[in-house]
C-alpha cells in the first residue's frame, strides 16, 4: 500500500516597501512581531540576513540615514501554516550618558547595606514607572522561630533579602506579571535558623515599579508565624 505525502513545499512571498526614516532619529530596528516563517531581509539591495521566530529583530541603523528614503524587501519562506507576522519599524534616539554593571546577590546585599541608615517611611510607598528603591525592616524581635511575611501592592516586583539570604522574588498583581504556579505568590518565609544570635536581623526589600506607564505601589508587609 502506498502512502501519500500531503506536505506542501515552502512558498516564497516577496514584499517591498519604501521607508522614510524620521529625521529626528538615529537608530532603527525592524521587528517582525508574531513571525513563524523564515524571512530574508534586504535594504537598498544589501543582504541583512534571515529573521525567524527565535530572532525576529534586525538592526537597520548602519544602512539608514535620517530623512533619506530606503527600500525594504522581505522574502518569506513559509509553509501553509506559517505567518509573516506584522513588520514594525522601531525608531528612536540612541541613549547616551548611562552605564550598567552586573551584580550578584551578595553585591546587591552590600548595596542595600550602603543605603542605611535611611529615612523612616510609612506604607503605602508609591514609585514612578521604572523607579526602584530599598525598604528595610528590623525583625530582631521575631527571633526564635520561623516567620512569614505577606507583601501586598500592585505593579511591582519585590526581591527580598533576610540577613544576606535571598528569600524570594515576588511579582505583585497588575500588568506586567508573569504566570506563576505553585505556592503563594505574595508570601515570603524567614527561617528561624537564619536569625542572628547577636541580633540586628534585617529584612530588606528591593522594590521595582515594572509597568511602563503606571506607578507601582507597595501597600503592606504583614508578619505571621
Amino acid at each position: 500500500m502506498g502512502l501519500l505525502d500531503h506536505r506542501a513545499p515552502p512558498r516564497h512571498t516577496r514584499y517591498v516597501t519604501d521607508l522614510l526614516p524620521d529625521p529626528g532619529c538615529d537608530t532603527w530596528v525592524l521587528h517582525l512581531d508574531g513571525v513563524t516563517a523564515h524571512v530574508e531581509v534586504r535594504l537598498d539591495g544589501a543582504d541583512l540576513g534571515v529573521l525567524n521566530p527565535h530572532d525576529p529583530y534586525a538592526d537597520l541603523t548602519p544602512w539608514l540615514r535620517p530623512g533619506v528614503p530606503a527600500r525594504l524587501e522581505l522574502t518569506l519562506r513559509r509553509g501553509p501554516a506559517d505567518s509573516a507576522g506584522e513588520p514594525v519599524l522601531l525608531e528612536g534616539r540612541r541613549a547616551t550618558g548611562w552605564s550598567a554593571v552586573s551584580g550578584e546577590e551578595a553585591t546587591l546585599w552590600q548595596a542595600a547595606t550602603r543605603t542605611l541608615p535611611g529615612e523612616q517611611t510609612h506604607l503605602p510607598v508609591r514609585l514612578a514607572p521604572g523607579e526602584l528603591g530599598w525598604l528595610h525592616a528590623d525583625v530582631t524581635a521575631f527571633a526564635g522561630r520561623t516567620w512569614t511575611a505577606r507583601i501586598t501592592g500592585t505593579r511591582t516586583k519585590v526581591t527580598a533579602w533576610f540577613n544576606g539570604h535571598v528569600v524570594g522574588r515576588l511579582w505583585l498583581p497588575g500588568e506586567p506579571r508573569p504566570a506563576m504556579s505553585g505556592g503563594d505568590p505574595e508570601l515570603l518565609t524567614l527561617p528561624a535558623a537564619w536569625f542572628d544570635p547577636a541580633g540586628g536581623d534585617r529584612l530588606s526589600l528591593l522594590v521595582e515599579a515594572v509597568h511602563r506607564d503606571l506607578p507601582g505601589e507597595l501597600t503592606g508587609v504583614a508578619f505571621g508565624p
Side-chain angles (χ1 to χ4, degrees), residues 4-176:
L4 297 178
D5 188 350
H6 295 283
R7 293 174 298 178
R11 294 178 296 166
H12 289 70
T13 307
R14 182 167 173 264
Y15 295 94
V16 179
T17 188
D18 291 321
L19 304 178
L20 183 60
D22 190 313
C25 296
D26 62 9
T27 304
W28 297 269
V29 175
L30 175 67
H31 178 208
L32 299 185
D33 188 15
V35 64
T36 58
H38 286 70
V39 182
E40 300 173 2
V41 181
R42 298 180 70 86
L43 190 65
D44 281 343
D47 185 2
L48 275 61
V50 179
L51 304 188
N52 58 71
H54 304 291
D55 185 16
Y57 294 92
D59 185 4
L60 308 186
T61 304
W63 293 272
L64 290 179
R65 296 293 179 268
V68 179
R71 174 153 293 188
L72 176 68
E73 302 177 33
L74 304 177
T75 301
L76 282 66
R77 304 197 307 266
R78 59 180 178 178
D82 288 333
S83 169
E86 180 181 355
V88 179
L89 180 63
L90 305 174
E91 300 183 290
R93 295 195 60 82
R94 189 176 300 276
T96 59
W98 66 276
S99 62
V101 295
S102 62
E104 301 295 334
E105 293 175 355
T107 304
L108 291 173
W109 174 250
Q110 294 172 2
T113 302
R114 286 196 296 270
T115 65
L116 295 170
E119 297 181 0
Q120 186 173 1
T121 189
H122 298 279
L123 300 179
V125 171
R126 174 169 288 197
L127 300 175
E131 186 180 6
L132 59 83
W134 288 98
L135 293 176
H136 306 283
D138 187 328
V139 294
T140 305
F142 298 153
R145 62 175 301 171
T146 295
W147 287 77
T148 62
R150 180 170 296 279
I151 314 297
T152 56
T154 56
R155 295 183 295 273
T156 54
K157 184 179 73 171
V158 179
T159 306
W161 280 261
F162 173 47
N163 284 348
H165 303 278
V166 173
V167 291
R169 289 184 175 89
L170 309 178
W171 287 79
L172 301 184
E175 295 293 335

